[in-house]
Amino acid sequence: MKENCGGKERLKQIQYENLLPMEIEKRSFEIISEELVRRGIRLDQELEPVIKRVIHTTADFEYAETLAFSPDSVGHAMRAIRDGACIVTDTRMVMSGINKKALAKYGGKVYNFILDEDAAEFAKKNQTTRSAACMDKAAGLNVPLVFAIGNAPTALIRLCELIQEGRICPKLVIGVPVGFVNVEYAKELILHTDVPYIVARGRKGGSNVAAAICNAILYRMDETRGR
């Protein structure tokens, strides 16, 4: 009974905001901006839309400190997308979260091969994960590519190997797999390549983070968004 009373007191302290659906995202970003100021965090103007959208997706302000960007990584991605670059993902979850309509404006598509039979056969033959096998299949695509890896460190490790072998030259690698086994190792490998990258250092990340970064870049390119 005391616990319920405490819950009611807590509820009284939380302010309810009656907002229309189109206003919720705008208000969310205002709150994020306010809290960043309170924390004394100033974001680079070029990187701000990406970092804020990841925070919006996760409600985790640690990403303001842990997201690592190579020089002009966002610019590299935008120029590539304008030239028709496609996005390759390691999982269907990342694929489902990306705004495909926004990408299609520039002629791009999102690819994921994890359900393809030949990817499954390759993974079994080479005793690796299907996500890693997807990277090998992506090497056969004859278009500019952005890679969004949100779940499988094995995919990120295999992608690094393909980069070193000269079989793939990504326009951007989004390396944000989540977990405990080989996750930090895989991310550090990407940080030591010569390709543009956006990496979430440490254990945190996920499919939602990978998709959020892709969408932040796409929305930055759309000057009419929010009007």
Side-chain angles (χ1 to χ4, degrees):
M1 195 69 178
K2 289 182 180 179
E3 185 179 342
N4 290 336
C5 291
K8 288 180 180 178
E9 288 302 314
R10 172 64 179 150
L11 186 59
K12 290 178 183 178
Q13 297 170 12
I14 302 172
Q15 184 179 359
Y16 175 74
E17 298 185 59
N18 187 17
L19 299 172
L20 295 172
M22 66 185 68
E23 298 172 330
I24 293 173
E25 182 179 276
K26 181 175 181 290
R27 179 59 185 137
S28 295
F29 277 88
E30 289 172 351
I31 292 169
I32 290 167
S33 297
E34 292 163 4
E35 185 153 343
L36 286 169
V37 170
R38 285 197 297 271
R39 291 168 180 255
I41 299 173
R42 294 176 63 88
L43 301 178
D44 182 285
Q45 188 175 358
E46 181 80 7
L47 311 179
E48 183 177 353
V50 175
I51 296 171
K52 283 186 174 180
R53 185 155 292 277
V54 171
I55 293 172
H56 175 257
T57 298
T58 61
D60 188 343
F61 282 83
E62 190 174 321
Y63 284 106
E65 307 290 345
T66 60
L67 281 176
F69 298 79
S70 63
D72 196 30
S73 54
V74 175
H76 277 293
M78 291 194 298
R79 289 189 291 272
I81 289 169
R82 287 194 184 101
D83 289 340
C86 295
I87 299 175
V88 176
T89 71
D90 62 328
T91 66
R92 300 284 292 183
M93 286 187 290
V94 180
M95 182 182 187
S96 65
I98 295 172
N99 189 324
K100 298 164 198 62
K101 186 176 180 180
L103 181 61
K105 289 181 181 179
Y106 306 97
K109 294 173 59 177
V110 183
Y111 288 99
N112 180 266
F113 305 115
I114 205 156
L115 297 181
D116 292 12
E117 289 186 12
D118 55 348
E121 291 170 3
F122 184 93
K124 185 176 180 180
K125 178 182 177 181
N126 292 277
Q127 297 187 333
T128 186
T129 65
R130 289 195 183 192
S131 294
C134 289
M135 302 300 103
D136 282 270
K137 188 161 182 179
L141 294 173
N142 191 26
V143 292
L145 296 175
V146 170
F147 286 82
I149 312 300
N151 226 289
T154 54
L156 205 53
I157 292 167
R158 182 57 184 150
L159 180 57
C160 284
E161 292 171 349
L162 291 167
I163 291 169
Q164 291 168 355
E165 293 168 9
R167 294 178 56 194
I168 289 179
C169 186
K171 299 300 182 180
L172 175 71
V173 175
I174 298 168
V176 293
V178 60
F180 299 93
V181 179
N182 293 328
V183 167
E184 293 178 272
Y185 172 78
K187 293 173 179 178
E188 289 299 319
L189 281 179
I190 286 294
L191 293 175
H192 289 86
T193 64
D194 293 327
V195 301
Y197 62 76
I198 300 175
V199 169
R201 282 187 138 144
R203 295 171 172 173
K204 291 183 180 181
S207 298
N208 57 338
V209 175
I213 292 171
C214 291
N215 289 337
I217 293 168
L218 289 166
Y219 298 158
R220 178 130 188 254
M221 296 169 66
D222 185 0
E223 296 179 354
T224 65
R225 182 173 169 78
R227 292 182 185 176

